[in-house]
Amino acid sequence: MFYLCWDIMIFSRLRKFFDDHEYLFLILSLLAILIAYPFVMDSWNMFVLNILISFVLITGLYTASSHKRFVTLIMTIWGLSFVFNWLQYRVHTDTVVLLYLATGLAFFVFVICNLIAWIANTKEINSQTIMWAIAGYLLVGLIAAFVYLLIDVLVPGSFGLETLNFAQSIYYSFVTMTTIWYGDIAPMSYHAQAWSAIFTVAAQMYLAILIGVLVGKYIRKKEGV
């Protein structure tokens, strides 16, 4: 009985810690992918990458699960994306890869929409709010990378390469979002050009609008409005 109570107490404390720092785990999982992507060129490192993406899916699920209204839909999309994430590692066909990219993209879009809604509705500006904003920006980059991979599967050669891999898509995503494009990977098809422009503008709008919202909330808090 004592050990059961002790286990319950430890579990409760761990859950409270995760509830209070869920943004931190999401950011760490996203940063881990950014750090790992240069090393994903062989099968063993691709296995590590799949683990990291699974970690992002799990932390993203915990974040999105607060939206009780769509919890069944969220769990369904998450389950499919998690399964296809590992299935495409073993069965690398265009159909499986497309299903993996589509379900993963749908899930991450839902997560970032939920995250942005939370930032817009919160009245307090603190470290947690700032961390959520950072997580949102990193998620935009990951979503863009998935879109570029999806385009390259549907329209091969869209980026001037025989095949665009995950490492290249992550790199291209963030250098275009930050408008420091070097030209080593170029959008060649109309689809690639259009979506590259869309995500470049979206990233700038995210930063501009987010800063405006956060500054406005901070000023109102200081003025006691």
Side-chain angles (χ1 to χ4, degrees):
M1 187 67 179
F2 171 77
Y3 290 110
L4 178 61
C5 293
W6 178 257
D7 290 340
I8 293 174
M9 184 177 67
I10 292 176
F11 177 77
S12 300
R13 289 184 177 180
L14 286 174
R15 182 169 183 177
K16 184 178 185 308
F17 177 80
F18 198 92
D19 287 340
D20 294 339
H21 299 85
E22 55 183 314
Y23 61 88
L24 180 60
F25 290 104
L26 181 58
I27 289 176
L28 287 176
S29 62
L30 290 165
L31 287 176
I33 288 180
L34 289 178
I35 294 170
Y37 84 84
F39 310 102
V40 295
M41 304 309 292
D42 57 49
S43 59
W44 169 248
N45 288 323
M46 281 300 294
F47 176 77
V48 174
L49 177 65
N50 275 36
I51 292 176
L52 294 176
I53 292 176
S54 298
F55 188 32
V56 176
L57 288 170
I58 292 169
T59 53
L61 174 65
Y62 195 84
T63 302
S65 61
S66 59
H67 211 307
K68 304 299 182 184
R69 185 178 179 183
F70 301 104
V71 67
T72 303
L73 178 62
I74 296 167
M75 290 297 297
T76 302
I77 297 174
W78 177 85
L80 290 172
S81 60
F82 192 88
V83 169
F84 285 125
N85 174 44
W86 286 101
L87 185 60
Q88 61 90 29
Y89 173 69
R90 301 297 300 174
V91 184
H92 203 73
T93 63
D94 285 350
T95 301
V96 174
V97 171
L98 282 172
L99 289 171
Y100 157 62
L101 293 173
T103 53
L105 184 60
F107 178 73
F108 290 133
V109 167
F110 194 94
V111 171
I112 196 170
C113 288
N114 188 62
L115 190 152
I116 291 173
W118 183 88
I119 294 174
N121 293 326
T122 187
K123 295 182 179 179
E124 184 141 0
I125 304 300
N126 50 31
S127 59
Q128 184 177 6
T129 311
I130 302 301
M131 289 296 182
W132 276 128
I134 294 171
Y137 187 78
L138 295 175
L139 270 175
V140 171
L142 184 61
I143 289 169
F146 269 63
V147 170
Y148 297 145
L149 286 170
L150 192 60
I151 291 171
D152 194 65
V153 173
L154 294 172
V155 187
S158 288
F159 295 90
L161 302 169
E162 184 177 347
T163 303
L164 185 74
N165 60 38
F166 187 83
Q168 293 164 332
S169 68
I170 283 286
Y171 162 75
Y172 179 75
S173 171
F174 281 94
V175 296
T176 50
M177 279 174 52
T178 53
T179 66
I180 56 171
W181 178 59
Y182 296 109
D184 48 347
I185 299 176
M188 305 301 291
S189 70
Y190 293 128
H191 301 84
Q193 292 166 356
W195 282 100
S196 296
I198 288 170
F199 278 111
T200 301
V201 173
Q204 302 310 308
M205 289 180 64
Y206 178 90
L207 290 175
I209 295 173
L210 185 69
I211 291 172
V213 169
L214 294 181
V215 170
K217 289 178 181 289
Y218 181 78
I219 292 173
R220 286 196 296 272
K221 181 183 176 183
K222 284 295 184 180
E223 293 178 348
V225 178

